[in-house]
Amino acid sequence: MKEITKKEFTGIFKEEFENFLRYKNALGYYKKIEGNLLYDYLALNRFLDSYKLEEIALTEEMTFAYVKTAEHLSQSTRHHRECNIRQFAKFLKSQGYENIYIQYDCTVKP
């Protein structure tokens, strides 16, 4: 992972975003974590940081609010955001975090 990526993530989710991207990279995904993909996860990090959480948690309200912030964007972009937060939530759950909401049903169709 590029050094700039490590400097960009902030807040309580910083290490988890870095671990998530390392994990995906080890599986063969995100070989080049740059451009739009990096921007998407940095935007998700900033959004989650705005909640000023003291412990890692992801609620249903936060999940829907993140997708809702993209209402002015195309349907495919909104669907992409929904997928990003779902993948990150699944990763957090696999790391043992309990207070994680995973939205399995798509509300935005591709």
Side-chain angles (χ1 to χ4, degrees), residues 86 90 101-106:
R86 180 182 311 108
K90 286 180 178 181
Y101 170 77
I102 301 172
Q103 178 187 351
Y104 288 104
D105 297 326
C106 292

Side-chain angles (χ1 to χ4, degrees), residues 46-54 59 61-63 65-66:
R46 283 190 302 275
F47 175 81
L48 295 175
D49 279 352
S50 71
Y51 282 89
K52 307 281 190 238
L53 299 173
E54 293 186 17
T59 66
E61 173 193 334
M62 293 163 70
T63 301
Y66 181 66

